[in-house]
Amino acid sequence: MPTTHDPYSALRVRDFRWFITSLLTQTLGTQIQAVVVGWQVYSYTRDPLSLGLIGLAEALPFIATALYAGHIADRLNRRRINLAALVVLVGCSLGLLGLTAAGEISAGHVWPVYVIIFLSGIARSFLQPARTALSAELVSRDLYHNAITWRSSTWQFAAVAGPALGGLLYGFSGPTVAYGVDAALMVFAWFALVEVRHSAPPAAPTSTPILQSLLTGIRFVRSERLLLGAITLDLFAVFFGGAEALLPVFAAEILHTGPRGLGVLRAAPAAGAVLMSVFLSHRPPFARTGRTLFFAVSAFGICMIGFGLSRSFWLSLGLLFLAGMADNASVVIRSTLLQLLTPDAMLGRVSSVNNIFIGSSNEIGAFESGVAAKLMGTVPSVVFGGLMTLLVVGVMTLRLPELRKLGRLT
């Protein structure tokens, strides 16, 4: 007799609910900060490369410490690592608030922003593998797909509300108030995570040299062709489809919407992702997972091409919305593959490898978009990125047929 699919099964776990609450408020604060930093820096520099440098300032420390962060996530208490990383992020939010309130950020003097973003990159490097591994500890393995879907939808909901709220706060009250709200949300996220009572058993002692431990995650990903293929697809889609970093340019010079419009544009992909997450949480896993993944990444690339060519605010908004839907489907598939294929004791290190490929590719992609926009212009750079995404899908379809034929994930 078939069992009934319960779309709220993961949310019935108390610790997972508090975990989701912390994720929600932390992401809200992060998204508000991203909108305000982007508009503030571009308003002083009027240089698209300065937006790419924001991504680079976060990506370099993230990549440099990611493998060690994954090793730490598998050796120490993952909840405590999350709490420590959030303390640093709270400090970064307060730093931006203090510098802005004191008038220390101005034309020709935006370098303090890059310093703070650099520090937040280190904190995020330790936060992400520990958070991924912690979320897997809070629910049983049969709830992974449902938990990942709710985790993704929560993140995406915050990514809808955060940019919109950040744009409104900046537009009506200025950057100081916006940074104040960001800092308050970060503090609340820390207290919510304190409420998670789960305590994992200590990791078994090991004599494995630290370098060998650091490389374990890389070896594991290389040995799992399905996981490596899914990560590679997402990597290049995010790397070449980094139009989001250029949204301040589109808002200021192409669509002429100002900071409020920027907030709405930043929220559009996440709004689409929320809709897709709600849909996925109320249905079983895909029957043809591989085909769905390839279709989703292709749709993302097509939407980026259309967005680059659009001169209508509403058409641009719709294309970003559809891109968010496609991106979320690929994220859920990749995340489910990662947690199903990876042993619990290695989840931190494998997550850190995934974060190097995917998490940092957002920032590296932002830098690539800034450089490409500087060299070939804003619109051609976005269209070029979408075309390259489609090229990668074509190559991967031919090189990895087993991923294309992948069925239901169980």
Side-chain angles (χ1 to χ4, degrees):
M1 184 175 180
T3 57
T4 302
H5 174 68
D6 180 6
Y8 307 103
S9 53
L11 294 180
R12 302 188 194 284
V13 179
R14 176 198 176 275
D15 283 343
F16 185 75
R17 289 198 302 272
W18 276 112
F19 172 87
I20 285 294
T21 301
S22 176
L23 175 64
L24 171 67
T25 49
Q26 184 256 320
T27 306
L28 276 172
T30 300
Q31 293 296 317
I32 290 172
Q33 183 184 114
V35 169
V36 177
V37 165
W39 188 267
Q40 190 178 35
V41 169
Y42 186 69
S43 67
Y44 286 128
T45 64
R46 291 294 169 180
D47 183 357
L49 182 59
S50 67
L51 299 174
L53 291 175
I54 295 174
L56 188 65
E58 187 169 7
L60 289 179
F62 183 96
I63 294 171
T65 57
L67 290 179
Y68 183 69
H71 168 78
I72 292 297
D74 284 337
R75 304 309 308 156
L76 303 181
N77 185 288
R78 291 159 174 172
R79 174 176 170 271
R80 291 178 182 174
I81 296 172
N82 275 266
L83 289 170
L86 278 174
V87 167
V88 177
L89 290 176
V90 168
C92 291
S93 297
L94 291 173
L96 289 169
L97 172 62
L99 287 171
T100 302
E104 293 295 323
I105 301 175
S106 60
H109 197 259
V110 296
W111 65 265
V113 174
Y114 294 123
V115 172
I116 291 177
I117 297 301
F118 184 92
L119 294 175
S120 72
I122 297 175
R124 194 167 65 86
S125 177
F126 283 87
L127 175 68
Q128 290 196 359
R131 185 167 64 189
T132 300
L134 177 63
S135 70
E137 289 181 355
L138 299 180
V139 298
S140 57
R141 184 169 283 264
D142 60 301
L143 298 182
Y144 276 2
H145 182 271
N146 186 256
I148 289 167
T149 303
W150 279 111
R151 193 179 76 202
S152 175
S153 62
T154 299
W155 190 94
Q156 298 292 357
F157 172 79
V160 172
L165 182 57
L168 291 172
L169 287 169
Y170 193 109
F172 286 104
S173 304
T176 302
V177 172
Y179 284 135
V181 173
D182 161 37
L185 287 167
M186 289 292 191
V187 171
F188 187 90
W190 188 88
F191 280 105
L193 195 60
V194 168
E195 288 297 318
V196 175
R197 298 173 182 170
H198 168 81
S199 180
T206 177
S207 58
T208 304
I210 186 170
L211 179 59
Q212 184 176 337
S213 176
L214 294 179
L215 296 176
T216 298
I218 296 177
R219 295 193 187 101
F220 181 84
V221 171
R222 288 182 61 188
S223 69
E224 294 286 347
R225 281 175 56 83
L226 292 176
L227 180 58
L228 178 61
I231 289 176
T232 302
L233 266 177
D234 258 13
L235 165 67
F236 284 104
V238 173
F239 179 77
F240 289 116
E244 190 170 341
L246 299 176
L247 287 182
V249 183
F250 277 89
E253 299 177 9
I254 297 175
L255 302 175
H256 307 290
T257 62
R260 299 172 200 172
L262 170 62
V264 176
L265 289 171
R266 283 291 299 263
V274 167
L275 180 62
M276 179 60 74
S277 293
V278 172
F279 169 72
L280 294 180
S281 67
H282 286 79
R283 56 152 290 153
F286 296 110
R288 296 179 175 181
T289 302
R291 291 186 181 182
T292 303
L293 177 62
F294 280 99
F295 175 80
V297 179
S298 299
F300 178 84
I302 292 170
C303 288
M304 287 299 99
I305 294 172
F307 173 76
L309 297 174
S310 171
R311 294 298 177 272
S312 163
F313 174 76
W314 294 108
L315 177 58
S316 298
L317 202 64
L319 288 167
L320 289 174
F321 182 88
L322 293 175
M325 292 182 66
D327 183 55
N328 181 257
S330 67
V331 166
V332 170
I333 291 171
R334 172 175 49 81
S335 299
T336 304
L337 265 176
L338 187 146
Q339 289 194 189
L340 285 176
L341 295 176
T342 307
D344 290 343
M346 293 174 56
L347 200 49
R349 282 164 290 178
V350 174
S351 295
S352 70
V353 176
N354 177 66
N355 289 334
I356 290 175
F357 280 98
I358 306 302
S360 64
S361 65
N362 286 284
E363 286 70 38
I364 295 295
F367 178 66
E368 179 272 336
S369 296
V371 172
K374 184 80 170 179
L375 295 176
M376 65 177 73
T378 301
V379 171
S381 71
V382 174
V383 174
F384 170 78
L387 291 172
M388 290 300 296
T389 299
L390 295 179
L391 177 63
V392 170
V393 171
V395 172
M396 294 295 293
T397 300
L398 297 175
R399 295 292 301 273
L400 208 62
E402 59 265 46
L403 180 60
R404 187 182 70 248
K405 298 174 183 177
L406 181 64
R408 192 184 303 276
L409 297 180
T410 58

